[in-house]
Amino acid sequence: MIRWRYGTVTGVRGGWRGCTELEVDVEAREGEDAYSARGLAYDGLVGVPEVGDRVLLNCNAIAKGLGTGGYALVIAVPDRLPADVDGPGHIVKARYTPMQAMRLAVDEDDSPYRAAVEDCEDLGGMPVVVADLHSALAPVLAGVHATAPDAKVAYVMTDGGSLPAWFSRQLDQLSDRICTVVTAGQCFGGDLEATNIHNALIAARTVGGADIAIVAQGPGNLGTGTVWGFSGTAAGEAVNAASVLGGRPIASLRISEGDARERHRGVSHHSMTAYGKVALAAADIPVPDELPADLEPKIRAQLAELPERHRQIEIDCSGLAEAMQALPVRLSTMGRGLDKDRVYFIAEAAAGRHAAQIAKRRD
């Protein structure tokens, strides 16, 4: 259920593409005190709040102490509603929720891209890097552009994490390195919208002109600690989609030396399940030539358990750490940076390098 609260905007902290970050005074309800909090408004949904506005808030994330997305989310500015936006598009995202939004998808009748999407029979061997976490986006990009600086890279965002692409500061900071963002399924806010991952990949190729696509969920993945109970199973489905469309699936490994949870040390159980059980199509699995000495035997043993249909390819990782450090974003996964979990980022960058090498051979 939603934890409903009223609040008053006391300051505008700033923002990024599609978002306004606020300071809000949250009004007390019975049994609790008033408090101040960070607020977040999605401009395309609720308009741009101003100092003095009374706002309706969802405070679930604050009550639960969530690190990712720990905002009082603005549901409405009741006394200053945004103007209606009329135009083409009838694909509904976040369907049948109070915040459902109409978007124009590339594959619907009113789209100027409908014909191009419908006429595309396959991806022509386009490399498709599949990743578990949103934090993989930056290192994969670094690996691509360290190897093929002019490669055009599209990001296909799946709906296992954040639904609005606007929530991702990385997308804003990396915008000059990404030719297009396609939001697939129930997520929205990309440069292009698509009803599912298949047409999202087609749109990345035919509309965005991408040489390479990266597929990953938005910020805020879901995991329950059970074998199947995590949103990253979609990585295996993305491998299948890329394959059936005639792309070249590249399954990036989630490897960790810094995670205290045993199920994520070495090769994460997320990768083992997604690629070992969900992905029925063959994929390239880039393996970095730089592995922690204390974990390498475990990692090699884990990799030996993956199905033989996958192609494990060792990747020269020289220069990748420097390429990642040159990015305009702070590398972080589960609160750990390059210094705390180097192998995680190196493995993702290795997948980007492999994709770039394939793309260069196709030119």
Side-chain angles (χ1 to χ4, degrees), residues 280-305:
L280 302 181
D284 292 355
I285 299 183
V287 180
D289 66 353
E290 176 187 318
L291 293 171
D294 60 328
L295 279 179
E296 184 166 3
K298 177 178 182 176
I299 292 170
R300 297 291 182 189
Q302 290 172 312
L303 293 176
E305 297 175 9

Side-chain angles (χ1 to χ4, degrees), residues 119-210:
D119 290 345
C120 179
E121 296 183 357
D122 64 59
L123 300 176
M126 179 180 73
V128 177
V129 181
V130 176
D132 180 17
L133 302 175
H134 189 68
S135 58
L137 175 61
V140 173
L141 269 176
V144 169
H145 288 140
T147 310
D150 297 327
K152 295 179 67 176
V153 183
Y155 171 51
V156 173
M157 180 172 146
T158 58
D159 53 16
S162 169
L163 293 186
W166 304 314
F167 186 76
S168 173
R169 296 194 193 205
Q170 283 199 27
L171 286 181
D172 183 47
Q173 295 165 328
L174 296 169
S175 59
D176 62 341
R177 300 166 187 247
I178 299 173
C179 65
T180 192
V181 175
V182 191
T183 35
Q186 284 292 289
C187 57
F188 55 90
D191 303 311
L192 302 170
E193 307 279 359
T195 57
N196 55 36
I197 189 173
H198 300 79
N199 272 350
L201 287 169
I202 289 172
R205 180 69 173 158
T206 61
V207 180

Side-chain angles (χ1 to χ4, degrees), residues 50-113:
E50 299 174 357
V51 172
D53 282 339
R54 193 170 191 235
V55 289
L56 181 61
L57 302 167
N58 178 347
C59 291
N60 268 342
I62 292 174
K64 296 296 184 182
L66 299 183
T68 300
Y71 287 98
L73 294 172
V74 177
I75 296 172
V77 186
D79 300 325
R80 199 164 53 80
L81 299 177
D84 293 339
V85 178
D86 295 319
H90 71 279
I91 300 299
V92 181
K93 304 286 185 111
R95 289 190 284 273
Y96 303 107
T97 71
M99 296 300 287
Q100 66 180 11
M102 291 279 191
R103 309 293 294 180
L104 176 64
V106 291
D107 38 4
E108 64 174 299
D109 290 338
D110 292 331
S111 170
Y113 309 119

Side-chain angles (χ1 to χ4, degrees), residues 192-253:
L192 302 170
E193 307 279 359
T195 57
N196 55 36
I197 189 173
H198 300 79
N199 272 350
L201 287 169
I202 289 172
R205 180 69 173 158
T206 61
V207 180
D211 303 309
I212 296 167
I214 301 171
V215 179
Q217 61 189 321
N221 66 302
L222 172 65
T224 63
T226 60
V227 173
W228 296 101
F230 62 98
S231 53
T233 54
E237 300 291 1
V239 167
N240 296 334
S243 178
V244 78
L245 290 172
R248 179 76 174 263
I250 299 170
S252 73
L253 290 170

Side-chain angles (χ1 to χ4, degrees), residues 227-318:
V227 173
W228 296 101
F230 62 98
S231 53
T233 54
E237 300 291 1
V239 167
N240 296 334
S243 178
V244 78
L245 290 172
R248 179 76 174 263
I250 299 170
S252 73
L253 290 170
R254 178 178 172 182
I255 307 177
S256 178
E257 59 190 312
D259 201 312
R261 297 167 295 180
E262 185 60 30
R263 65 183 183 273
H264 291 304
R265 283 187 61 79
V267 181
S268 167
H269 85 99
H270 285 196
S271 290
M272 297 301 294
T273 300
Y275 304 142
K277 299 177 180 178
V278 181
L280 302 181
D284 292 355
I285 299 183
V287 180
D289 66 353
E290 176 187 318
L291 293 171
D294 60 328
L295 279 179
E296 184 166 3
K298 177 178 182 176
I299 292 170
R300 297 291 182 189
Q302 290 172 312
L303 293 176
E305 297 175 9
L306 290 172
E308 292 183 1
R309 61 179 172 272
H310 297 315
R311 301 170 290 269
Q312 296 187 29
I313 303 163
E314 189 152 307
I315 304 298
D316 175 6
C317 295
S318 57

